[in-house]
Amino acid sequence: EGAAELTLKVMKELGVERFALLGHSAGAPVALDAALMNPDKCAALIAVAPAVFVGDEKNDTTSDRGGGALKLPLDRALRFAWFRFLVSQDGPGLNVVRGSVRRQTAAVESGVTYGDLDRETRDAYVRPTKAEGWDVGLLQLFRAGLGTFGGDGARLRREMRKLATTRREQNETPKPGSSGSSSVGRATKPFRALVVVGARDETTPPRLAESLRDALSGAGVQPENLRFELMPTAAHLPMEQTEGGVRETFEALVVEHVKALVE
């Protein structure tokens, strides 16, 4: 929530009146929440490998916390409950964070994770762990995320209706050779959404992206304004993956989606 608010404040200071938001992985819920906080100015959402847990609508209750939770097998649910307890404690929580990041860092550096990226890019993903206080900061992020992980689906699906029903105005500049008036008219454009995920993504599997697509559709985003792209050779980082032309294909998708907002 704080990251979404900060995103909107930065754009306000920059004088941005109309925007498209792109969020990758854990950034996707930040982008979505920012859009929900200011739907009249958000023209489009691009969710890439989205870690957005909208849950199962048929299991909803009227409570934001009760319905739409991510359904986990019993053994994983028990491990998650234990993990939640540990990170709520300062000492054990820091040990969990450090141990988790050490394992992930070793996998990245050895090429087991993100093996389709070059060495310089992999090193860049590890670099933040060299900053002073990175473990304390990451623990706070874990705690904040655990507050809504898998339990925010009912709220998200309910509020996403605003994206489909809000009127968004777009500057419409008179064409050359027209009446000669310098006035600028206002046209209304529908909200557009693009959901992109790699078929080889094991971090945020395609089923999560499919659930977000279905939730946006259920919220009223029309099929012609809702695009879902499953990239067959992409993993979790399509914007970084060069093999097979993944990055170029991904960038073309984003450009095409954003250009449609001004045409």
Side-chain angles (χ1 to χ4, degrees):
E1 182 179 0
E5 291 175 352
L6 182 59
T7 299
L8 294 173
K9 287 179 180 179
V10 168
M11 288 192 289
K12 182 178 179 181
E13 290 297 317
L14 293 174
V16 176
E17 292 296 328
R18 184 170 177 267
F19 49 79
L21 291 168
L22 185 152
H24 168 260
S25 194
V30 174
L32 177 57
D33 265 331
L36 296 175
M37 289 176 182
N38 205 338
D40 58 323
K41 292 186 177 182
C42 183
L45 172 72
I46 302 171
V48 185
V52 178
F53 301 91
V54 291
D56 188 353
E57 186 172 9
K58 66 176 178 289
N59 292 321
D60 265 348
T61 69
T62 56
S63 168
D64 282 356
R65 296 291 181 190
L70 181 66
K71 306 304 178 185
L72 297 173
L74 180 59
D75 60 333
R76 292 184 63 192
L78 290 173
R79 287 200 299 270
F80 180 67
W82 178 240
F83 177 79
R84 184 194 293 268
F85 169 74
L86 288 176
V87 299
S88 69
Q89 315 296 312
D90 289 342
L94 285 172
N95 288 334
V96 167
V97 167
R98 292 165 183 159
S100 174
V101 171
R102 273 197 302 269
R103 290 190 295 273
Q104 293 181 53
T105 298
V108 171
E109 290 177 333
S110 66
V112 173
T113 300
Y114 302 161
D116 45 11
L117 306 182
D118 59 57
R119 167 59 66 180
E120 183 179 359
T121 303
R122 293 206 307 271
D123 288 346
Y125 276 94
V126 173
R127 194 172 301 131
T129 64
K130 313 300 182 185
E132 182 179 356
W134 68 268
D135 48 357
V136 176
L138 191 55
L139 177 59
Q140 304 311 312
L141 181 63
F142 275 28
R143 288 174 175 172
L146 288 174
T148 56
F149 179 87
D152 221 17
R155 176 189 70 84
L156 289 174
R157 282 196 307 278
R158 184 174 62 249
E159 293 191 10
M160 276 193 281
R161 297 168 192 157
K162 296 186 293 187
L163 300 175
T165 58
T166 299
R167 292 175 61 86
R168 293 164 190 79
E169 292 186 335
Q170 178 193 25
N171 286 334
E172 192 174 74
T173 305
K175 296 180 181 179
S178 59
S179 62
S181 172
S182 60
S183 62
V184 177
R186 307 296 284 184
T188 299
K189 299 280 282 187
F191 173 80
R192 293 171 56 88
L194 170 63
V195 181
V196 183
V197 67
R200 293 166 44 196
D201 191 340
E202 297 180 359
T203 304
T204 51
R207 63 182 177 83
L208 289 179
E210 292 166 358
S211 296
L212 176 58
R213 172 203 61 194
D214 294 344
L216 286 165
S217 176
V221 180
Q222 295 302 303
E224 63 270 22
N225 300 316
L226 176 57
R227 182 171 179 178
F228 178 81
E229 286 289 338
L230 179 64
M231 302 184 69
T233 61
H236 189 58
L237 300 168
M239 65 283 193
E240 304 276 18
Q241 186 179 336
T242 56
E243 66 174 23
V246 169
R247 185 172 66 191
E248 290 79 3
T249 301
F250 169 74
E251 290 175 350
L253 283 172
V254 174
V255 170
E256 179 185 350
H257 191 72
V258 175
K259 279 181 67 176
L261 301 175
V262 295
E263 291 177 346

